[in-house]
């Protein structure tokens, strides 16, 4: 778990190559897909995210497909849903990057419903934020602002200060 968190931190800091190296050379070889499907799925999800950030969308999508197949082996339902939301969120982001905005936004809408029903308010806020970004990229500024405001409302409710600052900044930029 500590090594997975380290790789995720590397990714957050923009150290994409380091995260990929850590995951492919140290972390994933030490995790059994069958004995620890949660840890394996989480590490693979981070690896897929690293490839996404590196612009290697097909490689990311291949990894996501393998994770989607493995999710059913995760014993706790809450963990299964959490990983599924992360994986499908990244898949929607790939659709957006490839210019398939409508498909991305449809996917986000489905995921928001699941996250709300499953009690994941931070994920709901993230999904609204991502919806706002891709709505803006598609040229729908009104819808974008609506999504950003929904995300902001949730983040205020759960006191997610970092996201509140980010969304305020994005909302200002959308208006420019």
């Amino acid at each position: 778990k500590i090594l997975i968190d380290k790789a995720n931190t590397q990714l957050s800091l923009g150290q994409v190559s380091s995260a990929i190296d850590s995951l492919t050379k140290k972390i994933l070889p030490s995790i059994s897909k069958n004995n620890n499907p949660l840890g394996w799925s989480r590490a693979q999800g981070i690896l897929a995210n690293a490839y996404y950030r590196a612009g290697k969308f097909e490689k990311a999508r291949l990894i996501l497909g393998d994770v989607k197949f493995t999710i059913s082996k995760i014993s706790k339902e809450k963990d299964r849903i959490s990983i599924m939301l992360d994986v499908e969120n990244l898949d929607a982001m790939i659709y957006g990057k490839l210019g398939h905005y409508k498909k991305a936004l449809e996917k986000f809408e489905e995921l928001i419903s699941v996250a709300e029903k499953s009690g994941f308010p931070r994920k709901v806020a993230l999904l609204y934020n991502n919806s706002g970004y891709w709505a803006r990229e598609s040229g729908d500024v009104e819808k974008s602002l609506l999504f950003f405001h929904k995300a902001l409302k949730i983040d205020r409710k759960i006191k997610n200060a970092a996201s509140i600052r980010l969304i305020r900044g994005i909302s200002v930029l959308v208006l420019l």
Side-chain angles (χ1 to χ4, degrees), residues 13-39:
L13 295 172
Q15 299 170 357
V16 177
S17 295
S18 296
I20 291 171
D21 284 347
S22 294
L23 287 159
T24 58
K25 294 177 183 172
K26 296 176 187 170
I27 299 168
L28 283 163
S30 70
I31 301 174
S32 168
K33 180 179 181 178
N34 294 322
N35 294 336
N36 186 359
L38 176 60

Side-chain angles (χ1 to χ4, degrees), residues 3-176:
L3 290 177
I4 294 172
D5 290 339
K6 179 183 176 186
N8 199 30
T9 301
Q10 288 172 321
L11 190 57
S12 297
L13 295 172
Q15 299 170 357
V16 177
S17 295
S18 296
I20 291 171
D21 284 347
S22 294
L23 287 159
T24 58
K25 294 177 183 172
K26 296 176 187 170
I27 299 168
L28 283 163
S30 70
I31 301 174
S32 168
K33 180 179 181 178
N34 294 322
N35 294 336
N36 186 359
L38 176 60
W40 183 88
S41 295
R42 186 164 177 258
Q44 287 285 65
I46 294 167
L47 181 60
N49 192 357
Y51 283 124
Y52 165 81
R53 291 181 186 205
K56 298 179 180 180
F57 306 125
E58 289 308 314
K59 192 155 189 154
R61 194 163 263 153
L62 284 172
I63 293 168
L64 293 177
D66 202 12
V67 175
K68 288 177 188 182
F69 180 75
T70 305
I71 287 174
S72 64
K73 297 176 183 174
I74 297 171
S75 60
K76 293 183 183 175
E77 182 182 21
K78 201 85 164 165
D79 291 337
R80 256 191 330 272
I81 294 169
S82 178
I83 294 290
M84 181 277 298
L85 289 167
D86 291 342
V87 165
E88 295 295 346
N89 174 53
L90 184 55
D91 196 37
M93 296 291 286
I94 293 170
Y95 277 115
K97 277 286 192 187
L98 296 174
H100 303 291
Y101 305 124
K102 184 178 179 187
K103 179 68 176 168
L105 291 167
E106 288 171 354
K107 239 182 137 104
F108 287 130
E109 186 177 330
E110 292 170 16
L111 294 171
I112 288 166
S113 176
V114 172
E116 286 175 334
K117 289 175 186 169
S118 303
F120 289 104
R122 282 185 185 231
K123 290 186 188 293
V124 173
L126 172 67
L127 292 162
Y128 273 125
N129 187 42
N130 290 344
S131 297
Y133 177 82
W134 291 112
R136 171 65 179 95
E137 288 296 304
S138 75
D140 194 340
V141 175
E142 293 295 321
K143 191 178 249 186
S144 175
L145 287 171
L146 176 69
F147 288 137
F148 286 136
H149 286 260
K150 286 182 178 186
L152 181 60
K153 185 177 178 182
I154 294 165
D155 281 329
R156 282 184 177 148
K157 185 176 180 180
I158 63 174
K159 298 177 178 27
N160 189 351
S163 289
I164 291 169
R165 286 190 302 277
L166 175 67
I167 291 168
R168 281 185 184 151
I170 290 172
S171 293
V172 169
L173 290 174
V174 166
L175 292 172
L176 295 177

